[in-house]
């Protein structure tokens, strides 16, 4: 069995496999490209179009086009409703992308492709990871591992360069930002700390430019183009092009024709940098907080890896050199490193002896809400701290608070705050307690993360050492088994081209 690596990106996706000489290689898609735009166009009730052609239609047919779906992963709401009124969830649209990526990989490799490793942002929580795994299944693929993107990038770079030491990965992609510190020793990749922002990426830089120019159109007596789906899709495309141009040029022009009148603007790099200073500053704060978590100073960092298309912006490089006094590693391809590393990890999974070992960490703390005996307040108790190496298993013992207590309010939370109002509650249920428990009966809460970063929870009556039932994390935002099967059947009828 050969396993390939898939970087399922917010804006672009890439697929890589190991070549005969054992080095990872990017596979080109049916359009001859190394990167496939993560765009799905619903063409007709029977089929979808994926990739560059779909992306070109984004401006003219915004209503049929779905992009940035990764930002909606793990949400229960539909991200698209087709002409027949059928709603599609993020994992379903992602499944269509994955099917196309796998089909193209099969063509490139000349053999069927079923076994994959998929990369996810490090900060993806349990629901988003589960949704990604489900997307793989819906695409008819076997997902052997979910790997964190920064970790994959580090593995790709490390195996290629043979370098060891402390790596810092700054990954600013189309929709997301990740910052990760790893220690690399001899093919051993140990993540020390990671943090990120799900809503910080290239499209936020685009949005700023869109807002800025839309305001200038209004100032010149024009309409609010952001209210018109076709015009705003057009403006988005022009603004993204201008943003990319500003990475190498001092100025870029943006033209937009609105009701027979053409608006034309010159944007300078410094204007754009002023506009986006706040976004860049948010990445800086996250960098500092990751270094704090890792208890490292910039002097301890040996190599800085820049990943993601947005790291081509000169202001990112300036930020890195100001903070770290390091020059980013030149051997890292910002668009390809993640997929290449995923292919190395995929190959290692099936090799007779692993070529690399990866220890990742949890990006989210997991805990439960209980009464704090000292304060009498309902409090969130963290059971698995964030940045714990995975897989992991932690437990904590709580006691019942009332004599002959017959029921227990069980909850699972995500987040570090002790105030229950400031954490996400993943699960709440009422468990029946067996009769005859002593006062202050001990209840053990066992929480674990599997190697993919998916959470599992159990509660145990410690008096009788009997499970009170695994707390089925019935993630309301994920598909259950029946709906997964139904969705798989429905998607199988859609043609993907
Ligand atoms: P993702 O992995 O989230 O899909 P990518 O790493 O492919 O994202 O990055 C895509 C983003 O990078 C887009 O917002 C794109 O506009 C931006 N981008 C690509 N090239 C450049 C460039 N030269 N300068 C600035 N931004 C760029
Ligand atoms: Mg990416």
């Amino acid at each position: 069995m050969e396993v390939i690596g898939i970087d399922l990106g917010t804006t672009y996706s890439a697929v890589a496999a190991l070549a005969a000489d054992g080095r990872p290689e990017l596979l080109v898609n049916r359009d001859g490209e190394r990167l496939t735009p993560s765009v799905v166009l619903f063409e007709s009730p029977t089929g979808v179009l994926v990739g560059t052609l779909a992306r070109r239609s984004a401006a003219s047919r915004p209503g049929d086009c779905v992009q940035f779906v990764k930002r909606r992963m793990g949400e229960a709401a539909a991200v698209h409703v087709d002409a027949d009124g059928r709603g599609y969830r993020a994992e379903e649209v992602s499944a269509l992308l994955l099917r196309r990526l796998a089909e193209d990989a099969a063509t490139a490799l000349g053999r069927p492709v079923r076994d994959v490793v998929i990369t996810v942002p490090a900060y993806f929580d349990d629901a988003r990871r589960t949704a990604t795994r489900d997307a793989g299944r819906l695409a008819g693929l076997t997902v052997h591992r979910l790997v964190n993107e920064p970790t994959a990038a580090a593995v790709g770079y490390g195996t290629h360069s043979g370098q060891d030491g402390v790596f810092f990965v700054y990954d600013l992609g189309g929709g997301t930002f990740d910052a990760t510190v790893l220690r690399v020793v001899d093919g051993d990749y140990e993540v020390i700390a990671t943090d990120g922002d799900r809503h910080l990426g290239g499209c936020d830089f685009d949005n700023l430019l869109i807002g800025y120019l839309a305001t200038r159109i209004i100032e010149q007596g024009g309409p609010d183009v952001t209210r018109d789906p076709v015009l705003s899709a057009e403006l988005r495309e022009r603004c993204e092009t201008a943003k990319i141009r500003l990475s190498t040029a001092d100025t870029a022009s943006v033209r937009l024709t609105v009701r027979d009148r053409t608006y034309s603007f010159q944007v300078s790099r410094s204007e754009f940098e002023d506009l986006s200073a706040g976004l860049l500053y948010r990445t800086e704060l996250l960098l500092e907080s990751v270094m704090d978590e890792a208890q490292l100073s910039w002097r301890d960092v040996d190599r800085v890896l820049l990943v993601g298309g947005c790291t081509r912006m000169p202001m990112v490089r300036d930020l890195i050199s100001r903070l770290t006094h390091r020059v980013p590693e030149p051997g890292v391809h910002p668009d390809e490193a993640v997929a290449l590393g995923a292919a190395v990890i995929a190959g290692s999974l099936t090799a007779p002896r692993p070529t690399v070992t990866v220890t990742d960490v949890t990006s989210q703390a997991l805990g439960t809400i209980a009464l704090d005996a000292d304060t009498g307040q309902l409090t969130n108790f963290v059971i698995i701290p964030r940045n714990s190496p995975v897989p992991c298993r932690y437990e904590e013992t709580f006691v019942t608070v009332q004599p002959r207590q017959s029921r227990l309010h069980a909850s699972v939370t995500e987040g570090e705050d002790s105030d229950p109002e400031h954490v996400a509650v993943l699960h709440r249920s009422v468990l029946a307690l067996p009769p005859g428990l002593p006062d202050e009966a001990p209840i053990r809460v066992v929480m674990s993360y599997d190697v993919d970063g998916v959470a599992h929870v159990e509660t145990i009556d410690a008096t009788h050492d009997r499970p009170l039932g695994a707390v089925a994390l019935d993630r309301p935002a994920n598909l259950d088994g029946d709906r997964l099967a139904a969705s798989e059947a429905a998607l199988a009828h859609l043609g993907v081209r």
Side-chain angles (χ1 to χ4, degrees):
M1 173 182 52
E2 280 175 73
V3 187
I4 62 165
I6 300 184
D7 169 8
L8 184 63
T10 311
T11 45
Y12 289 97
S13 297
V15 183
L18 294 185
D21 65 0
R23 292 164 78 90
E25 240 179 27
L26 236 68
L27 304 178
V28 295
N29 67 15
R30 70 188 64 177
D31 302 316
E33 306 153 330
R34 297 157 76 81
L35 302 176
T36 302
S38 304
V39 183
V40 175
L41 180 77
F42 285 79
E43 286 195 288
S44 68
T46 55
V48 299
L49 183 64
V50 173
T52 297
L53 289 175
R55 187 183 156 101
R56 284 206 191 116
S57 308
S60 56
R61 294 172 59 186
D64 298 323
C65 209
V66 192
Q67 42 185 342
F68 310 125
V69 60
K70 187 173 176 178
R71 284 187 147 192
R72 312 270 310 266
M73 226 41 173
E75 285 179 20
V79 296
H80 178 72
V81 179
D82 72 9
D84 292 340
R86 185 198 192 282
Y88 291 83
R89 297 165 54 114
E91 56 267 59
E92 296 178 306
V93 175
S94 301
L96 296 169
L97 281 169
L98 284 169
R99 230 166 86 192
R100 159 78 188 257
L101 295 170
E103 277 174 20
D104 286 3
T107 308
L109 293 168
R111 63 168 178 83
V113 164
R114 218 200 54 198
D115 300 284
V116 301
V117 161
I118 302 178
T119 59
V120 291
Y123 64 80
F124 252 28
D125 65 7
D126 180 69
R128 295 184 176 88
R129 285 169 195 268
T130 303
T132 305
R133 252 186 355 198
D134 290 345
R137 163 163 172 199
L138 292 174
L141 301 171
T142 304
V143 182
H144 289 262
R145 190 66 60 84
L146 298 177
V147 177
N148 289 346
E149 284 159 13
T151 311
V155 169
Y157 168 76
T159 26
H160 172 71
S161 66
Q163 300 289 349
D164 276 0
V166 173
F167 290 11
F168 192 98
V169 184
Y170 179 107
D171 180 354
L172 186 58
T176 58
F177 175 66
D178 259 326
T180 300
V181 206
L182 309 91
R183 187 169 285 116
V184 183
V185 183
D186 232 3
D188 216 354
Y189 294 77
E190 187 202 334
V191 177
I192 307 171
T194 189
D195 206 344
D197 190 328
R198 190 168 73 248
H199 287 284
L200 178 50
C203 65
D204 299 295
F205 289 80
D206 301 342
N207 288 344
L208 287 177
L209 209 47
I210 292 167
Y212 179 60
L213 296 181
T215 307
R216 285 177 58 181
I217 292 176
I218 293 172
E219 281 166 7
Q220 295 180 16
D224 182 357
V225 295
T226 59
R227 290 167 155 273
D228 178 316
V230 172
L231 285 174
S232 53
E234 246 173 66
L235 185 57
R236 169 171 300 283
E237 202 181 278
R238 311 267 154 86
C239 284
E240 191 193 357
T241 308
K243 172 191 73 177
I244 291 173
R245 185 163 162 72
L246 288 173
S247 290
T248 48
D250 291 333
T251 60
S253 57
V254 177
R255 290 159 68 88
L256 189 73
T257 302
V258 184
R259 298 185 200 137
D260 299 336
R261 178 168 167 200
T262 298
Y263 296 85
S264 172
F265 305 100
Q266 287 287 324
V267 183
S268 70
R269 184 189 290 169
S270 60
E271 225 175 331
F272 175 58
E273 289 182 348
D274 287 347
L275 212 54
S276 36
L279 291 178
L280 201 68
Y281 183 59
R282 276 165 61 193
T283 73
E284 180 175 343
L285 292 180
L286 285 163
L287 295 189
E288 298 292 2
S289 91
V290 168
M291 292 300 281
D292 277 353
E293 284 265 334
Q295 297 181 337
L296 292 175
S297 78
W298 291 113
R299 273 194 309 279
D300 303 316
V301 172
D302 298 301
R303 329 225 151 238
V304 179
L305 279 52
L306 296 187
V307 184
C310 287
T311 58
R312 292 200 184 85
M313 295 190 292
M315 61 180 140
V316 170
R317 291 176 174 269
D318 295 346
L319 171 75
I320 294 297
S321 62
R322 177 165 61 77
L323 285 181
T324 70
H325 303 288
R326 296 262 183 302
V327 179
E329 289 310 301
V332 183
H333 194 302
D335 301 320
E336 303 184 353
V338 171
L340 293 173
V344 173
I345 294 168
S348 181
L349 285 179
T350 49
R353 259 195 290 127
T355 49
V356 293
T357 55
V358 172
T359 314
D360 232 307
V361 298
T362 63
S363 59
Q364 318 283 337
L366 220 54
T368 194
I369 298 170
L371 206 60
D372 184 336
D374 295 338
T375 62
Q377 300 280 320
L378 278 178
T379 304
N380 176 48
F381 289 91
V382 171
I383 295 180
I384 304 183
R386 55 185 246 106
N387 288 320
S388 302
V390 287
C392 63
R393 185 172 185 280
Y394 284 73
E395 61 172 77
E396 196 70 64
T397 302
F398 296 86
V399 294
T400 54
V401 289
Q402 283 165 353
R404 290 184 302 283
Q405 189 171 327
S406 61
R407 296 182 318 159
L408 183 77
H409 289 268
S411 62
V412 180
T413 61
E414 203 171 70
E416 295 186 284
D417 210 291
S418 59
D419 183 346
E421 294 293 318
H422 293 150
V423 294
V425 179
L426 299 185
H427 171 88
R428 247 183 235 283
S429 61
V430 178
L431 300 176
L433 293 176
L437 285 182
D439 288 357
E440 301 199 351
I443 307 288
R444 277 162 52 210
V445 179
V446 183
M447 296 193 168
S448 57
Y449 271 114
D450 67 19
V451 69
D452 290 329
V454 174
H456 306 272
V457 178
E458 255 182 308
T459 44
I460 295 159
D461 156 18
T463 310
H464 304 102
D465 198 21
R466 255 186 245 135
L468 289 168
V471 177
L473 275 182
D474 51 354
R475 311 177 184 89
N478 290 127
L479 291 166
D480 60 28
D482 290 348
R483 288 176 50 211
L484 207 56
S487 167
E488 198 172 351
L491 292 184
H493 291 297
L494 278 182
V496 174
R497 72 178 181 96

